[in-house]
Amino acid sequence: MIIPFQEKQREQFYRLLDKVFDSSYWSEGEMTRVFEDKFGEYVGVESRAVVNGGAGLLAILDYIDVKGHDVIVPANTFWATAQAVKKTGGRIIYADSNRSDLCLSFEDIKRKVTSDTRAVIVVHIGGHIAFEIEKISEYCHQNNIYLIEDCAHVHGASWNGKKGGNFGFAGSYSFYATKTLPIGEGGMVVSGDKEFLSWLEKYRNYGKYVIDGKVCYPVKNGFNYRMSEFSAALGIVQLEHLSEILDWKRSLAAKYDAIFERKVVLPEGMISGYYKYIVFDYPRLREVTGQVFGINDLGCRIEGLDLHLENAEWIVAHHQCPPMYYGWEYADKSIDELRDILFK
Ligand SMILES: Cc1ncc(COP(=O)(O)O)c(C=O)c1O
């Protein structure tokens, strides 16, 4: 059994904490900048740290000013995605997902788009990139619609070499305690748009900016969405450790591949970060983790809407997730032993 945050990571973290204390900057200092640079290099897009993944979504939606406009959101996602649209004043338009990847359906996006659609949010559910992301990206580009990627699950995944956050205007990663790269609470906004990133640096700090020693507030709607230096230090350590986490998950996934026939089947060129391992139509497994997602997580359900999104409803009723969290005590068992643990 593996201890998720091992001795060598702890020592590295303590050394970085000493650096934070020595610097006297407990926020807005060197650690945050280093974490941003390293994460940006890893993902292949520039990055800015925020306090959590939901705040990252708020920032993107506020910047593109969705207030009063339609934003297409998958029905099958955690409530955070839709709630961010609601909080920034957008009109949530729920769309259906595909049974193959659990992600937003391109066909349903086209059905739901109107002249007032400002943005589409694709959620890379479960740890792989949405299978239709390239088609969706091209369509959004051609129709002047902002594509936002909710990257809360997609650490370490790539599609023909491109990681989450490279397909749209901007993406938001979460480092919540259960995520593949956990730091307790935290998020990272990634984008190739320099103007947006510069705006975000102010937005996450109440809109404040200091020019020639003078304080001004050039950005509206800003709030405190900063990441502390302590969290950033932990992020640096976890990012360095990420490849070990991913190897561990992939080796468990390879065993599950031998056990489960009915599952999300990754297309050629897709590498999953395995936030979850998703199987369909099995009797209730003896060991499971949370679904992506359960009926009570769905925004349309939370809002009390009577929508019939056939595939989202099917996904909720037909999938389960055998354990895939880093450190699961039975992960090093053999395939036969795992089969017994899950089914007997
Ligand atoms: C799909 C999705 N989007 C957004 C979030 C929000 O992330 P955070 O909890 O860091 O705000 C989460 C998760 O927790 C999530 O699962």
Side-chain angles (χ1 to χ4, degrees):
M1 189 181 147
I2 201 156
I3 299 164
F5 202 65
Q6 294 159 25
E7 205 48 46
K8 64 177 177 192
Q9 277 95 40
R10 291 179 201 205
E11 277 165 18
Q12 194 189 351
F13 181 49
Y14 300 149
R15 277 198 302 277
L16 291 183
L17 287 185
D18 278 338
K19 274 196 170 180
V20 175
F21 292 127
D22 290 344
S23 76
S24 299
Y25 279 90
W26 291 11
S27 187
E28 300 183 85
E30 193 55 25
M31 283 302 151
T32 304
R33 279 190 289 277
V34 171
F35 184 32
E36 289 173 345
D37 286 352
K38 285 181 184 280
F39 195 83
E41 207 175 293
Y42 178 73
V43 173
V45 211
E46 269 202 67
S47 303
R48 294 293 180 276
V50 285
V51 72
N52 56 52
L57 291 174
L58 290 180
I60 300 165
L61 291 161
D62 257 341
Y63 181 76
I64 65 175
D65 197 10
V66 295
K67 195 166 185 177
H69 300 286
D70 289 0
V71 179
I72 296 180
V73 170
N76 182 43
T77 177
F78 183 53
W79 172 228
T81 319
Q83 174 75 322
V85 175
K86 207 168 175 175
K87 276 186 158 302
T88 47
R91 226 179 355 251
I92 306 166
I93 308 293
Y94 290 104
D96 210 355
S97 301
N98 304 308
R99 297 183 187 195
S100 55
D101 65 350
L102 278 63
C103 300
L104 193 55
S105 145
F106 179 46
E107 282 311 307
D108 209 33
I109 292 174
K110 287 190 287 184
R111 265 182 240 124
K112 302 275 159 68
V113 160
T114 66
S115 56
D116 203 21
T117 305
R118 179 72 116 227
V120 167
I121 309 182
V122 168
V123 187
H124 301 297
I125 297 272
H128 49 267
I129 308 269
F131 296 177
E132 296 185 303
I133 193 69
E134 269 154 356
K135 279 194 269 183
I136 296 171
S137 172
E138 198 182 320
Y139 176 83
C140 287
H141 188 68
Q142 280 167 358
N143 290 280
N144 281 325
I145 296 168
Y146 286 99
L147 172 60
I148 299 168
E149 296 175 67
D150 184 333
C151 298
H153 298 184
V154 84
H155 317 71
S158 62
W159 173 232
N160 293 324
K162 272 166 93 173
K163 295 203 170 75
N166 278 277
F167 301 91
F169 169 73
S172 178
Y173 279 82
S174 165
F175 305 127
Y176 176 61
T178 59
K179 298 295 188 263
T180 303
L181 191 166
I183 65 170
E185 299 288 355
M188 193 69 86
V189 175
V190 302
S191 178
D193 189 302
K194 287 197 187 303
E195 241 173 73
F196 164 57
L197 293 172
S198 155
W199 175 93
L200 173 58
E201 286 168 7
K202 304 164 188 83
Y203 176 86
R204 69 180 171 187
N205 192 19
Y206 290 109
K208 179 175 156 181
Y209 197 54
V210 182
I211 308 170
D212 297 334
K214 271 200 200 138
V215 174
C216 52
Y217 291 84
V219 163
K220 301 267 178 301
N221 290 338
F223 206 69
N224 178 4
Y225 298 128
R226 299 179 300 251
M227 177 181 281
S228 90
E229 286 288 278
F230 304 105
S231 298
L234 187 51
I236 293 168
V237 177
Q238 290 288 63
L239 183 59
E240 246 173 59
H241 184 44
L242 182 60
S243 62
E244 273 175 62
I245 298 174
L246 292 169
D247 287 349
W248 184 97
K249 282 174 168 268
R250 285 174 186 144
S251 108
L252 178 57
K255 293 188 216 174
Y256 284 161
D257 282 347
I259 295 173
F260 295 103
E261 264 174 40
R262 298 181 297 281
K263 60 201 171 201
V264 167
V265 177
L266 303 175
E268 184 93 21
M270 179 72 72
I271 296 179
S272 178
Y274 288 111
Y275 173 57
K276 298 277 176 172
Y277 190 95
I278 300 153
V279 303
F280 302 110
D281 288 326
Y282 282 92
R284 169 94 187 160
L285 301 172
R286 283 180 56 211
E287 296 270 339
V288 279
T289 53
Q291 286 185 286
V292 279
F293 280 91
I295 187 74
N296 290 331
D297 296 309
L298 305 195
C300 43
R301 177 55 93 89
I302 292 166
E303 294 202 272
L305 304 174
D306 192 20
L307 295 181
H308 292 292
L309 295 161
E310 205 187 320
N311 291 338
E313 284 165 26
W314 183 90
I315 289 165
V316 161
H318 289 258
H319 86 280
Q320 298 180 73
C321 303
M324 186 39 87
Y325 57 89
Y326 188 49
W328 182 47
E329 60 182 308
Y330 298 123
D332 49 11
K333 298 282 182 202
S334 69
I335 292 170
D336 286 340
E337 286 167 328
L338 280 173
R339 200 179 273 116
D340 284 352
I341 289 164
L342 295 169
F343 287 106
K344 282 202 178 150

